[in-house]
């Protein structure tokens, strides 16, 4: 009974704070088929919030694996027009998009990583008009997590069946601040704090970041021209607030594509297309990865870096304190949605237009000249540690210590 009630509160939080669905909008909900029960709770909240209609799209990881296993590459690398049309058929501002994550991190383990990688990248290219719609901030969207049996078994292999699922639900509830007596108010305060850091950084005339840690990270990250720090709630072009990722603990901005230099060492494993990459590092020169190593998952790392030319360059740098709720859980969730909120992280691949002033009004060459990286992929990896130091350099050459011992120093 307790978990049913808190799942109802969670669904309400996802719809009212995450998507912030407005009366008369269409809710497009995507969820694992195993969590049809939670999708129903989310759908009910959408109707209660005044949705004109609710479309639910289910995903099945078993069928997805079979398709990648037996499907021909030339078929897998095509995106049916109807799949794109499901997402972009609505007029500006008419739809909001809610994605419930929860698939097995190992669902694609053992498959041909090159075949899978090409198929995933082709789908990303085929769905680009939908991603462009989100980049233009025409619609609200949010991503949240729901516990599934396969995911729970990965995170808690020592627990059996329902015990593992219940434990994962409890951890999700905690990092989502649902243990707070007033979760909506807690999220509003949290968002205000992240926005305060964004204002401090955006007003600080910061042009470069330097990261150092005991693991061996010694990385200099110049920022793109016109870089903007984002974090907390987003807003549509019409001024409607929404939380794109739930949970979120980061403030993030755009590195300059061609200027990053030095070495970064991972602090957490990376789950990528069903493969786990452990204890890896990258060396950057003129923005590109020129050397890399991994104790485990080297083939997957090669696939990641070989997606296209832009996949060897950075598109995001994010600051997350070591004391975040996800880090305090002490868990590796094997899902970037949660794990990226445990640590400062970088993303190989595409940059976000929202992180560059006037980006959407520029052509591709103008973006590139200012340091924007384009790619079919965007893969976050974590490198923050308890001893991480982050020092910012201002345009006038002065310095400001942002992080000391893994937490905010300002």
């Amino acid at each position: 009974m307790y978990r049913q009630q808190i799942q109802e509160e969670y669904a309400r939080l996802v719809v009212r704070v995450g998507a912030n669905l407005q009366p008369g909008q269409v809710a497009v909900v995507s969820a694992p088929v195993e969590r049809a029960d939670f999708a129903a709770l989310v759908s009910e909240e959408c109707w209660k919030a005044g949705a004109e209609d609710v479309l639910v799209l289910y995903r099945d990881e078993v069928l997805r694996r079979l398709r990648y296993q037996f499907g021909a590459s030339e078929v897998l690398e095509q995106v049916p027009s109807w799949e794109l049309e499901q997402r972009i058929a609505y007029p500006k501002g008419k739809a909001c998009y809610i994605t419930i994550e929860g698939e097995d991190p190992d669902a694609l383990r053992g498959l041909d990583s090159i075949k899978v990688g090409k198929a995933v990248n082709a789908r990303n290219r085929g769905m680009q008009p939908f991603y462009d719609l989100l980049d233009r901030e025409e619609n609200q969207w949010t991503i949240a997590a729901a516990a599934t049996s396969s995911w729970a078994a990965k995170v808690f292999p020592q627990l059996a069946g329902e015990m593992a699922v219940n434990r994962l639900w409890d951890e999700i509830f905690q990092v989502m601040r649902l243990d707070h007596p007033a979760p909506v108010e807690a999220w509003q305060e949290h968002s205000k704090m992240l926005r305060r850091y964004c204002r401090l950084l955006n007003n600080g005339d910061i042009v470069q970041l330097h990261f150092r840690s005991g693991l061996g990270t010694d990385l200099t990250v110049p920022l793109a021209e016109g870089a903007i720090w984002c974090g907390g709630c987003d807003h549509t072009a019409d001024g409607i607030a929404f939380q794109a990722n739930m949970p979120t603990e980061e403030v993030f901005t755009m590195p300059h594509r061609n200027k990053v230099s030095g070495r970064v060492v991972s602090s957490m494993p990376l789950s990528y297309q069903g493969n786990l990459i452990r204890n890896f590092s990258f060396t950057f020169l003129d923005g590109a990865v020129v050397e890399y190593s991994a104790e485990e998952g080297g083939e997957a790392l090669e696939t990641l870096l070989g997606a296209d030319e832009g996949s060897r360059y950075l598109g995001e740098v994010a600051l997350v304190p070591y004391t975040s709720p996800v880090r305090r859980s002490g868990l590796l969730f094997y899902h970037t949605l949660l794990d990226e909120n445990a640590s400062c992280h970088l993303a190989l691949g595409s940059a976000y237009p929202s992180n560059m002033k006037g980006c959407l009004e520029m052509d591709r060459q103008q973006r590139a000249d200012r340091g924007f990286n384009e790619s079919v992929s965007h893969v976050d990896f974590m490198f923050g540690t308890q001893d991480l130091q982050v020092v910012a350099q201002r345009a006038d050459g002065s310095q400001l210590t942002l992080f000391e011992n893994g937490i905010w120093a300002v």
Side-chain angles (χ1 to χ4, degrees):
M1 182 62 69
Y2 155 75
R3 288 190 176 85
Q4 176 67 22
Q5 291 175 344
I6 201 166
Q7 283 185 32
E8 292 172 359
E9 182 66 28
Y10 183 20
R12 191 173 303 115
L13 187 69
V14 169
V15 173
R16 304 283 181 157
V17 175
N20 192 14
L21 185 143
Q22 302 295 295
Q25 285 190 304
V26 174
V28 181
V29 181
S30 173
V33 67
E34 183 185 340
R35 284 279 72 95
D37 53 352
F38 186 65
L41 293 177
V42 170
S43 298
E44 182 177 355
E45 285 301 323
C46 290
W47 288 114
K48 289 179 178 179
E52 178 182 284
D53 199 359
V54 180
L55 172 66
V56 180
L57 308 174
Y58 288 116
R59 308 185 305 274
D60 188 309
E61 62 187 24
V62 175
L63 298 181
R64 179 170 177 251
R65 179 182 175 87
L66 289 172
R67 187 169 185 267
Y68 282 134
Q69 182 177 357
F70 294 107
S73 293
E74 57 268 25
V75 175
L76 296 176
E77 293 175 28
Q78 297 174 9
V79 179
S81 58
W82 59 261
E83 187 173 355
L84 177 60
E85 188 67 16
Q86 278 183 322
R87 305 301 180 97
I88 65 172
Y90 302 99
K92 178 181 177 181
K94 183 65 174 179
C96 72
Y97 301 91
I98 300 173
T99 300
I100 307 301
E101 293 284 354
E103 276 77 10
D104 180 4
D106 292 338
L108 304 181
R109 180 179 288 278
L111 298 183
D112 183 337
S113 61
I114 295 177
K115 178 183 179 182
V116 172
K118 288 182 177 179
V120 170
N121 293 334
R123 186 181 188 281
N124 289 340
R125 286 191 293 269
M127 296 296 288
Q128 192 60 51
F130 172 62
Y131 304 140
D132 289 343
L133 178 152
L134 301 183
D135 285 341
R136 293 193 300 271
E137 299 175 329
E138 292 186 8
N139 304 73
Q140 309 102 278
W141 58 279
T142 192
I143 305 175
T148 58
S149 55
S150 55
W151 181 21
K154 179 69 175 181
V155 180
F156 301 108
Q158 74 280 12
L159 299 179
E162 189 175 351
M163 292 179 63
V165 174
N166 288 339
R167 175 67 189 281
L168 183 53
W169 270 124
D170 289 344
E171 295 294 341
I172 292 172
F173 296 155
Q174 183 175 14
V175 300
M176 288 292 295
R177 292 176 166 78
L178 285 160
D179 55 346
H180 192 280
V184 171
E185 289 77 6
W187 267 90
Q188 291 171 341
E189 288 302 313
H190 177 57
S191 184
K192 287 180 182 178
M193 180 193 69
L194 294 176
R195 299 303 298 170
R196 182 180 72 83
Y197 283 123
C198 288
R199 286 194 298 272
L200 183 151
L201 297 168
N202 284 323
N203 294 332
D205 207 16
I206 293 170
V207 297
Q208 180 173 286
L209 303 172
H210 185 225
F211 299 91
R212 292 179 64 93
S213 80
L215 282 180
T217 291
D218 187 353
L219 187 73
T220 300
V221 181
L223 303 186
E225 183 181 341
I228 297 172
W229 289 88
C230 299
C233 67
D234 291 298
H235 291 83
T236 68
D238 294 329
I240 301 171
F242 65 98
Q243 293 282 351
N245 289 338
M246 299 184 82
T248 182
E249 305 290 334
E250 65 178 339
V251 295
F252 59 99
T253 193
M254 189 187 299
H256 195 292
R257 181 188 192 275
N258 301 317
K259 295 184 178 181
V260 177
S261 63
R263 182 169 182 258
V264 61
V265 180
S266 68
S267 60
M268 297 174 64
L270 171 63
S271 182
Y272 178 71
Q273 294 182 3
N275 299 283
L276 203 63
I277 308 172
R278 293 185 185 271
N279 299 328
F280 56 95
S281 66
F282 300 112
T283 299
F284 291 85
L285 180 64
D286 296 329
V289 174
V290 293
E291 294 180 12
Y292 59 92
S293 65
E295 289 187 10
E296 180 184 338
E299 183 177 342
L301 193 60
E302 288 186 24
T303 301
L304 186 162
L305 292 170
D308 61 12
E309 181 184 359
S311 63
R312 286 180 172 264
Y313 295 81
L314 293 180
E316 177 192 356
V317 54
L319 303 182
V320 179
Y322 195 79
T323 53
S324 77
V326 177
R327 172 63 74 175
R328 290 200 304 269
S329 75
L331 297 171
L332 178 65
F333 287 95
Y334 300 93
H335 268 271
T336 301
L337 174 66
L338 278 79
D339 287 334
E340 71 170 1
N341 290 295
S343 167
C344 288
H345 55 271
L346 298 163
L348 290 163
S350 187
Y352 295 125
S354 60
N355 284 136
M356 176 181 281
K357 184 177 181 180
C359 188
L360 294 175
E361 285 72 52
M362 301 178 194
D363 60 32
R364 294 178 66 181
Q365 187 58 53
Q366 289 173 322
R367 293 185 186 190
D369 290 345
R370 288 162 174 77
F372 187 98
N373 185 40
E374 286 197 36
S375 175
V376 296
S377 65
H378 179 99
V379 180
D380 298 280
F381 66 92
M382 285 56 75
F383 71 97
T385 59
Q386 194 169 7
D387 68 348
L388 183 69
Q389 182 187 59
V390 185
V391 177
Q393 180 177 311
R394 300 185 180 95
D396 63 6
S398 62
Q399 294 186 336
L400 173 66
T401 299
L402 299 179
F403 269 49
E404 196 71 68
N405 296 321
I407 61 175
W408 286 102
V410 291

